[in-house]
Amino acid sequence: MRAFVVLSVVLASVSSVFAQTASAAAYATTEAPIAKAGVLANIGPSGSKSQGAKAGIVIASPSTSNPDYLYTWTRDSSLVFKALIDQYTSGIDTTLRGAIDNFFNAEKILQQVSNPSGTVSTGGLGEPKFNIDETAFTGAWGRPQRDGPALRATALITYANYLYSTGNTTFVSNTLWPVIKLDLDYAANNWNQTTFDLWEEVSSSSFFTTAVQHRSLREGATLATKLGVTSSASTYTSAASSLLCFLQSYWNPAGGYITANTGGGRSGKDANTVLTSIHTFDPAAGCDAVTFQPCSDKALSNLKVYVDSFRSIYGINSGIASNAAVATGRYPEDTYYNGNPWYLTTLAVAEQLYDALIVWNARGSLNVTSTSLAFFQQFSSSVTTGTYPSTSTTFTTLTSAVKTFADGFVAVVAKYTPSSGALSEQFDKSSGSQLSAADLTWSYAAALTAFEARNGTTFASWGAAGLTTSCSSSGSGSGGGSGSSGSVPVNFQETATTVYGENIFIVGSISPLGNWDPNSAIALSAANYPNWQVSISLPASTTFQYKYIRKYNGAVTWESDPNRSFTTPSSGSYNENDTWR
Ligand code: NOJ
Ligand code: NOJ
C-alpha cells in the first residue's frame, strides 16, 4: 500500500513536468514572451540572470556547474544578437537600441583580447569563448572555431545597413566598419583553414562554417562597396566565390544529404546543416540549391535524412508515424550527456519548413525534383516531379502537409517544455525531462526565430539571389576571370586491395571527375594490381576535392573522410599517389 502511494506521487510529479500539451499556435503565443525575457535575462549588465556579466556580454547560460556555461561564446552571442537586431531594424521592438550598442562595444573589446588562439592580428578572432568579465579563457578547448567572426559580422552588418539607410553613414564608416572589417578579413584570409565545428568537437572543414563565412563575405562586399572601400569589396567577393565552390563539395548525392564535416568519422547527418539553411535564408533567393536555401531540393532531402536519423534512437520518438515530427538532436552519434534531443535543433527543423512555406507562398508555386521527391512523397505517395502552381490541388496538399509537419516539431518542443516555459539545452531522450545547461540563451533565441518564421515574418536579404558557381572552369581558388584555359594530365594512382568483381573509381568536385556523382566516376585500371591507375586531363591551376570509391555488385563504398584536396599545376603533368583509406 505504501509503495503504491509513493509510486502515484512520483507519477503525478513526473507528469506535471510536461504541462504543455499545447498546439504549435498556442505554444507560440505563450512561449514567445517567455523566450524573449529569457534572452534578455542573460545579457549584461542588467539581465536578471547575467550574474555580473559586463555590458553587452551574452552568457550562454547561468549554469555554473554540470555544465559550467557561464562564459560568452562568440557563436551564441552573435546568433542571439542577430535575432535582436532583426527585431530592432524591422520595427518589431524599437527598445533594443541600447542593448545592441552595448553588444557592439563588448565585441569590439573582445576582438582585442589576446587569447590562446592568438592576438587580433594573429588568429585570436577565432577564439570560441571568453570569460564574462571580458578576459581570455585560457583552459583547454576546441579552438579555433572560425564561424564566430563570420556570424558576428553578419549581425553587425545587419545593424550597419539599417543605420546607413537612416542616414547615419558617418557612424557606420567610422565606428562600426573597422570592427566588421576585422571579422571579414579573418574570414577572407582563413576560410580554407581547418576549424573546429560549431559543436566544438571535430577539427576539419565544417559546412556551417563555410556557409556562414560565405554569407558574411557577400554582404560584407556589398557594404564595403557602399562605403567606398573597393579593395575590401573585391577581396571579399573573390573569397566568397571560392567559398561557394567549396560549399558544393559537402553535398553527398548518393545519400541525399549534406555531409556536415569533412572529418570526424561520423555519418555526417547533423543539425549543422539545418541550422545553416535557416541562418543563411534569403527570402529573395527562391529555392536556390547553390546556397542550400530552406526550400531547395537539396536542403529538403537533407532535412528528411537528418530527421529520420533520430526516429529509432530516442525512446520518446517511438510509436510516432514515420512521416510525423520527432525530437531531433545535434547528430545521431552524439554522446554529450549520452546524446539527447535539443530544443534549438528541433526548432530549427520547424523554422526551415516555415521558411520554405514563406517562399512557396510568395512565389505561388512549388517545385518537386528527383532530389526532393522522397521528402514530398512522405506526405503524398503519388506525387511526381514537376512544378505545381498555387492554384493546383497538389500545391495545397503539399503545403498544408508541410505546415502540419512543421507545427509538429513545435508541438514536440511544447510537450517537453515545463509549465514555467524555461528552456534548457537538452531534454532526455527517454524521459523527456530537461538536461544540461538551464536557461540556454540560444534555445530561447531559437524559439523566437522559429515563431517569427511561423508568422511569415522575413528579414533583410543578404545577396543570395542569382548566385551561380563556375567551379570547374575557373577553379575554386581563382574566383573566375583570369583565364588560364589550358589543361594538364594528372596520373592518379591508388593502392587498394579488392575482391574479385570489385573495382576502384575516382570521383570529385569538378565536372571531369563527375561532380561527386558516383555514376559519373572515372574507372581506374587494375593492370598493375594492387596499384590502380588512370590518367585524366584536368583544367590547369584548379583546386578541387576528390575521393576514391569502390563499386561491387552495384554497391558504392566511399573512402573515409576527409575529402582529398588537389590543385593542378599551371602546366606540365603530375603523378598523384594515394592509398585507400
Ligand atoms: C563541451 C562542448 O561545448 C560540447 O559541444 C561538446 O559536445 C562537449 N564539450 C564534449 O566534447
Ligand atoms: C555547446 C554547443 O555544442 C556549442 O555549440 C555552444 O556554443 C556551447 N555549448 C555554448 O552554448
Side-chain angles (χ1 to χ4, degrees), residues 69 73 141 198-201 330-331 334 336 342:
Y69 273 28
W73 271 262
W141 209 251
L198 77 169
W199 308 134
E200 325 193 274
E201 295 173 333
R330 298 194 297 182
Y331 52 93
D334 199 356
Y336 187 44
W342 285 40

Side-chain angles (χ1 to χ4, degrees), residues 42-44 56-60 71-73 76-77 80-81 103 132 441:
N42 288 353
I43 302 173
I57 290 290
V58 181
I59 64 168
Y71 295 95
T72 186
W73 271 262
D76 299 46
S77 309
V80 163
F81 260 95
F103 167 70
I132 64 171
T441 325

